[in-house]
Amino acid sequence: MNSQKWLSLNYFTFFFTWGVFLPYWTGWLITDKGLSVPAASIIMGAGMIARSLSMLIVFPIATKLYAISVVMRGMAIAALVTMLFYIPFESYTALFVITVLFSAIYPNLMPGMESSASVLIRAEKIHYGKSRSYGSLGYTIALVFVGGVTELFGIGSVLWIMIAGLVMMVASQWIAAPAKLSDKPKRKETSEGVSLKELFTSGSFGIVLVISILLQGAHASYYNYGYIFLDDLGINSFYIGLILNVAVIIEIAFFLKADALFSEFRPSTLFGLAAIGSTIRWVAIFLFPNVWVFILVQALHAVSFGFAHYAFIQYISSKLKASQIPTAQGMYSAFAMSLSVALLTFLGGYLYEIEPGAAFLGMLICTIPALILVAVTRQKFKY
């Protein structure tokens, strides 16, 4: 299997499970396990903190000791084993511990794949957008599938779909990885202290990371309360899956064309557009709390998420050394995709209890500062 197909398959299998875990897990804890919204928010928020710390510490260390392909295989097996503990345990404490442990293991596959993509972009000139679109496809299939199955068998079936998805993901890890990803790291090229020093003395990396943290964190309410918001509007589970899929279908289209349309754009331009699109998205949901507006602004996911993510990948692929990429990707996944989302999940849960739409409006605490930061730094740091 060539590198492009290998990466595409791994994106698909991971994001299929991500399409089960990310939008449905909070709802599963609330509906199937009987937790309140604040209680489920605490569990998921704690899990995201564990995820961020693991990506920040465990993933970079692991990739300095072992090849990326070995790290990904080990994480996939450990994630499946941990998920099985949800079957016999029911108490709040047990659910808290299992979720935190699972969150410290499973999401490390995300920086693993993104690091693999960045290495293969440089070494073999693969098309990132093409392979990443398969991840979006896996996510959208999961949303439709879970929506249909839960409509027939109830929200409890989410656990079994997740287990089946993890089995599929483990199986995909046994396909031989590209040789470049199977090389054991050279010690002289992987000193963590040197890598971090170089990253943060390069000038623009720190700015790019902060902007990414703000823009990806602004999706916290959408990820954790989008399902509940639509359920409160009286939409049944099957149609909720279809509605959430609108964003992913748009995302697939974006990543399929991203390399052709946006590879020459400056990352700062894409970040600025992402900040504007994200602001419009959350304000619209707050001002017009109905299903049709929610569906309409789903198209902005390609801007609020897609532009911001693509900009970061383009930046690290072109600006950083190969030995720095796993550390940079681990920091991005830890802070932008996890810690900021975790902290804003707590805020979103509090605001949701007051007024559901306020949970989305509250995300402007990130989007507006991100837009200002882009405006005042893009010329100075030339990114």
Side-chain angles (χ1 to χ4, degrees):
M1 182 177 289
N2 65 37
S3 298
Q4 190 83 57
K5 291 181 179 178
W6 180 89
L7 189 63
S8 298
L9 175 62
N10 277 273
Y11 269 123
F12 180 89
T13 55
F14 173 79
F15 277 98
F16 178 88
T17 59
W18 199 236
V20 180
F21 187 74
L22 192 62
Y24 288 105
W25 214 250
T26 302
W28 177 72
L29 289 172
I30 292 168
T31 305
D32 193 61
K33 297 300 181 182
L35 301 182
S36 66
V37 172
S41 297
I42 290 172
I43 287 180
M44 295 303 291
M48 283 182 241
I49 292 173
R51 180 200 310 175
S52 65
L53 291 175
S54 180
M55 288 176 171
L56 182 63
I57 300 171
V58 176
F59 177 75
I61 291 176
T63 54
K64 293 179 190 308
L65 299 174
Y66 305 98
I68 293 177
S69 60
V70 174
V71 174
M72 291 176 65
R73 185 176 300 169
M75 292 293 181
I77 295 171
L80 174 59
V81 171
T82 305
M83 178 58 59
L84 295 175
F85 283 103
Y86 277 111
I87 298 174
F89 293 101
E90 295 285 338
S91 70
Y92 178 85
T93 301
L95 293 172
F96 183 94
V97 172
I98 295 168
T99 303
V100 168
L101 181 60
F102 181 76
S103 298
I105 299 170
Y106 160 72
N108 279 287
L109 285 155
M110 186 185 298
M113 286 182 300
E114 299 289 11
S115 295
S116 298
S118 296
V119 170
L120 294 174
I121 287 170
R122 175 170 296 186
E124 302 183 26
K125 307 299 181 183
I126 65 151
H127 298 288
Y128 173 78
K130 182 178 179 180
S131 287
R132 182 59 177 77
S133 69
Y134 278 88
S136 300
L137 179 63
Y139 192 93
T140 194
I141 289 174
L143 287 177
V144 173
F145 185 70
V146 173
V149 172
T150 54
E151 182 66 19
L152 292 173
F153 302 105
I155 193 70
S157 58
V158 167
L159 173 62
W160 302 105
I161 297 171
M162 186 68 182
I163 291 172
L166 288 170
V167 170
M168 180 174 66
M169 189 173 69
V170 169
S172 73
Q173 291 299 319
W174 292 99
I175 297 174
K180 191 69 177 178
L181 304 180
S182 300
D183 295 337
K184 188 173 180 179
K186 298 176 182 178
R187 288 187 176 276
K188 66 179 182 179
E189 295 179 355
T190 57
S191 170
E192 185 174 9
V194 171
S195 181
L196 286 175
K197 181 180 178 180
E198 290 177 351
L199 281 174
F200 285 99
T201 56
S202 67
S204 57
F205 176 76
I207 298 296
V208 167
L209 182 62
V210 170
I211 293 170
S212 297
I213 288 170
L214 292 170
L215 292 176
Q216 297 300 350
H219 292 81
S221 288
Y222 173 70
Y223 291 150
N224 289 282
Y225 309 113
Y227 175 90
I228 302 170
F229 183 79
L230 291 170
D231 187 58
D232 287 344
L233 291 177
I235 311 301
N236 70 42
S237 296
F238 177 72
Y239 290 112
I240 290 175
L242 294 179
I243 291 168
L244 294 176
N245 246 329
V246 172
V248 190
I249 292 170
I250 298 295
E251 182 182 308
I252 292 172
F254 168 77
F255 281 118
L256 281 173
K257 296 295 183 180
D259 292 320
L261 298 176
F262 302 109
S263 61
E264 300 301 320
F265 277 52
R266 291 172 59 184
S268 58
T269 300
L270 295 174
F271 281 133
L273 292 172
I276 293 170
S278 189
T279 301
I280 294 171
R281 187 181 185 186
W282 312 133
V283 169
I285 293 175
F286 171 74
L287 292 178
F288 308 102
N290 66 75
V291 66
W292 298 111
V293 171
F294 193 96
I295 293 172
L296 181 63
V297 298
Q298 286 287 74
L300 288 173
H301 192 70
V303 180
S304 65
F305 170 79
F307 279 16
H309 184 71
Y310 187 77
F312 184 83
I313 295 298
Q314 287 293 93
Y315 175 85
I316 66 171
S317 298
S318 62
K319 300 293 186 182
L320 302 185
K321 298 176 183 177
S323 60
Q324 294 176 315
I325 287 175
T327 300
Q329 188 61 59
M331 296 182 71
Y332 171 73
S333 297
F335 292 121
M337 305 298 285
S338 298
L339 185 59
S340 62
V341 176
L343 296 176
L344 288 160
T345 293
F346 293 119
L347 173 63
Y350 173 76
L351 293 174
Y352 196 95
E353 288 289 288
I354 298 172
E355 162 62 41
F360 297 93
L361 185 66
M363 297 302 102
L364 269 63
I365 196 173
C366 292
T367 63
I368 293 176
L371 183 58
I372 294 172
L373 191 56
V374 170
V376 300
T377 62
R378 68 190 307 265
Q379 292 303 324
K380 179 180 179 180
F381 290 100
K382 305 295 182 184
Y383 62 95

